[in-house]
Amino acid sequence: MLPVIERQPEVAPRNKKEGGTAVPSGNNGGHVGQPHSGVAERPKSSLYQNVGVQFNRAADVMNLDPDVRRILGATKNEIVVNFPVKMANGHVEMFTGYRVQHNDALGPFKGGLRFHPDVDLDEVRALAAWMTWKCAIAGIPFGGAKGGIQFDPAKYSEAELERITRRFAFALGENIGPEYDIPAPDVNTNAQIMAWILDTYASTVPSHERQRNIHVVTGKPVEAGGSVGRDKATGQGVVFTIQEWTHDHKIDVAGLTFSVQGFGNVGSWTARLLTQLGAKLVAVEDVTGGVRNENGIDPDDLLRFARVHGGVMKYPRGDFVDHIMFMKTPVDVFIPAAMENQITAESAQWLQVRLVAEGANGPTNPEGDAVLQRRGIDLIPDILCNAGGVIVSYYEWLQNKRSEFWELEEVDRKLHKRIKAAYGRVRDTAAELGVDWRTAAYVIALSRLETVYKERGIFP
Ligand code: NAD
């Protein structure tokens, strides 16, 4: 495949289903399936290279079919849109947005949208590939995609944010769609953003189709067609997997201590739900700083404080800690629920924990993984641990298609059953093959995809 970028016109062509390939960006372009050599610390961890290391390790372990390896080692479509938005001061600002569609062998592309200054093609490719594996492990009929806009939403008014979001959705055109590619919230995006995307998308299709498009996004406000339980779903899934781990280790959840990095959707819900089971939250870090209290932090109180003060920094019922002190806090479970590449060869040495439960995507790089394994620290990998979000997104999508509305109890029960089964498969595969849990999770995902490719064959 040629290393060329597909740069879409501002309004993308309708019915585009094929095309985008790779782009040179200081790594392997859109291809991850290249031979790798060891895990010596690299100067800057390219996220997509991290995926390549993980992918290759699992592909080697399971002896993945070389043709399937080539297919899954590349992203399917890469969409880059530059679009203008009128600001409050009357001037126009240009924005760059991305949507990478990694694979759709198992169903429509699915994955979140992120608004962050660090969003780039490398990051979005990695996040899209992780979505492919995640959906395959969870056994839901979706492929993998991810997208976002490279900007800091905190610097814009709500009205500007709405215009940026709507213009991005318009620029993506039919590169998204309810049966084709379904976005959801991620870092710095939420139910309100999803409602604006839904409204923009519905406004651009013929009027008789409008009501049939509500499932173009998931993670919507409940009133606008969202599912109850979606807001907390990722955190709930993280907690369900931790409960499975405590069950396996004959540990009482109520006696656990834990720390959380990131206090947004995933981090705050995980902390609240785990505390409700009797576990003790000892330390929290967000983008503003860290806070620690050995006697326990009330996550509901902290959330109220963070909403008023813009973060957890200066929370009065705890002591300020810097990043290294936060990471060195002794707890049973560390839950990274913020950004990527937080656990590296260096920081993995700082952790004094028994378990890392990856609420975030890609928080541990391959060098960090190696250190955790050497130190005997258990790890529930992201593509299993945070799958609760996409699982309940699938339930939202199903409810929309069937014009149904499920009760919270039904959503939670189905999520629990599905993520518990996925956890069991990863645990058993790791034991059977004698590999780490991340590799085991990949083997499950890649086996499922390999089977589908063998059954369906390659057109023509
Ligand atoms: P969010 O925007 O709601 O919260 C992000 C949090 O991370 C904020 O508290 C922010 O202050 C903190 N943060 C940012 N940079 C930081 C840094 N350098 N150090 C410490 N904290 C920092 O985002 P979210 O939806 O909770 O997503 C968090 C992670 O979980 C991401 O990796 C995301 O991809 C992953 N995830 C989210 C979902 C979902 O449903 N929202 C599902 C699966 C995975």
Side-chain angles (χ1 to χ4, degrees):
M1 263 176 259
L2 293 174
V4 292
I5 188 166
E6 176 163 353
R7 196 164 279 272
Q8 294 286 332
E10 192 200 320
V11 177
R14 302 257 157 185
N15 298 324
K16 193 193 83 56
K17 305 277 182 198
E18 283 289 344
T21 50
V23 61
S25 67
N27 57 38
N28 283 336
H31 303 257
V32 295
Q34 310 294 330
H36 67 98
S37 55
V39 286
E41 189 87 88
R42 285 171 266 108
K44 179 185 177 295
S45 224
S46 147
L47 217 52
Y48 198 51
Q49 280 177 347
N50 291 354
V51 178
V53 173
Q54 298 166 352
F55 173 81
N56 280 309
R57 184 179 295 130
D60 289 346
V61 164
M62 64 182 286
N63 205 10
L64 180 67
D65 179 283
D67 289 338
V68 177
R69 188 173 180 141
R70 267 189 289 278
I71 295 168
L72 296 177
T75 54
K76 192 166 182 192
N77 303 309
E78 298 185 343
I79 299 126
V80 182
V81 287
N82 296 311
F83 56 94
V85 181
K86 200 180 264 184
M87 296 291 114
N89 64 11
H91 292 297
V92 164
E93 209 173 301
M94 289 299 293
F95 292 85
T96 301
Y98 303 89
R99 187 73 180 167
V100 171
Q101 297 162 336
H102 174 259
N103 187 274
D104 62 349
L106 297 178
F109 298 109
K110 185 88 188 80
L113 291 177
R114 177 176 290 200
F115 291 176
H116 196 278
D118 291 345
V119 167
D120 63 12
L121 211 40
D122 178 84
E123 178 180 86
V124 178
R125 279 179 180 148
L127 292 162
W130 281 322
M131 285 306 297
T132 302
W133 323 138
K134 198 180 298 182
C135 294
I137 292 162
I140 55 178
F142 285 137
K146 205 82 178 192
I149 308 176
Q150 187 184 70
F151 80 119
D152 182 358
K155 295 187 175 150
Y156 296 85
S157 69
E158 186 169 344
E160 288 171 330
L161 202 54
E162 176 174 352
R163 286 200 295 279
I164 295 165
T165 302
R166 286 182 180 278
R167 195 66 201 233
F168 178 45
F170 182 70
L172 286 175
E174 277 204 359
N175 288 294
I176 60 169
E179 305 290 334
Y180 178 53
D181 183 354
I182 306 119
D186 192 72
V187 174
N188 292 331
T189 57
N190 56 22
Q192 176 62 76
I193 305 262
M194 295 306 116
W196 289 331
I197 294 174
L198 162 62
D199 187 68
T200 307
Y201 184 85
S203 303
T204 59
V205 296
S207 48
H208 64 276
E209 281 183 19
R210 264 170 212 164
Q211 294 310 321
R212 291 212 307 261
N213 284 298
I214 193 167
H215 51 305
V216 65
V217 284
T218 57
K220 302 179 285 288
V222 173
E223 301 76 14
S227 175
V228 290
R230 174 60 186 89
D231 195 31
K232 68 163 182 159
T234 309
Q236 183 69 74
V238 172
V239 171
F240 283 150
T241 62
I242 293 172
Q243 280 183 286
E244 288 306 302
W245 179 85
T246 55
H247 181 260
D248 284 348
H249 289 77
K250 301 188 175 29
I251 297 169
D252 186 1
V253 181
L256 282 184
T257 57
F258 68 102
S259 59
V260 178
Q261 185 191 42
F263 207 60
N265 174 281
V266 181
S268 67
W269 271 114
T270 303
R272 291 162 76 191
L273 295 168
L274 213 46
T275 307
Q276 282 167 20
L277 296 175
K280 187 162 79 178
L281 174 63
V282 172
V284 180
E285 185 189 46
D286 72 2
V287 76
T288 63
V291 60
R292 186 165 72 188
N293 187 338
E294 312 285 332
N295 298 318
I297 295 168
D298 174 353
D300 292 302
D301 188 48
L302 180 61
L303 193 58
R304 278 191 294 273
F305 176 89
R307 282 186 178 143
V308 174
H309 298 88
V312 305
M313 175 95 159
K314 300 204 173 128
Y315 179 61
R317 286 167 283 289
D319 302 320
F320 167 79
V321 280
D322 66 21
H323 177 64
I324 296 179
M325 286 159 77
F326 166 78
M327 295 292 279
K328 286 185 173 174
T329 303
V331 280
D332 297 311
V333 185
F334 172 50
I335 302 155
M339 304 302 285
E340 306 87 38
N341 288 334
Q342 296 300 303
I343 305 177
T344 61
E346 187 184 22
S347 63
Q349 301 280 5
W350 300 337
L351 294 175
Q352 299 179 64
V353 304
R354 294 186 60 180
L355 172 70
V356 172
E358 294 185 327
N361 285 306
T364 312
N365 74 8
E367 296 82 4
D369 259 338
V371 174
L372 293 182
Q373 281 167 41
R374 202 167 59 235
R375 295 186 59 211
I377 295 173
D378 286 354
L379 180 131
I380 307 175
D382 47 7
I383 48 179
L384 166 66
C385 192
N386 69 36
V390 74
I391 290 172
V392 176
S393 274
Y394 169 51
Y395 298 154
E396 179 176 330
W397 188 74
L398 280 182
Q399 290 171 71
N400 292 162
K401 277 165 74 89
R402 299 170 179 173
S403 299
E404 288 180 359
F405 186 80
W406 302 356
E407 300 291 334
L408 181 60
E409 183 275 328
E410 184 177 0
V411 172
D412 280 351
R413 180 170 42 79
K414 287 187 156 123
L415 167 62
H416 185 223
K417 189 174 171 201
R418 189 172 286 275
I419 206 158
K420 182 178 170 176
Y423 178 98
R425 280 195 295 274
V426 172
R427 176 197 55 211
D428 296 348
T429 304
E432 207 175 295
L433 300 178
V435 296
D436 63 278
W437 282 40
R438 193 185 309 284
T439 303
Y442 263 76
V443 167
I444 292 165
L446 299 181
S447 302
R448 189 161 175 225
L449 286 151
E450 182 181 50
T451 303
V452 171
Y453 273 107
K454 283 189 175 162
E455 286 169 353
R456 286 177 55 163
I458 303 296
F459 176 82

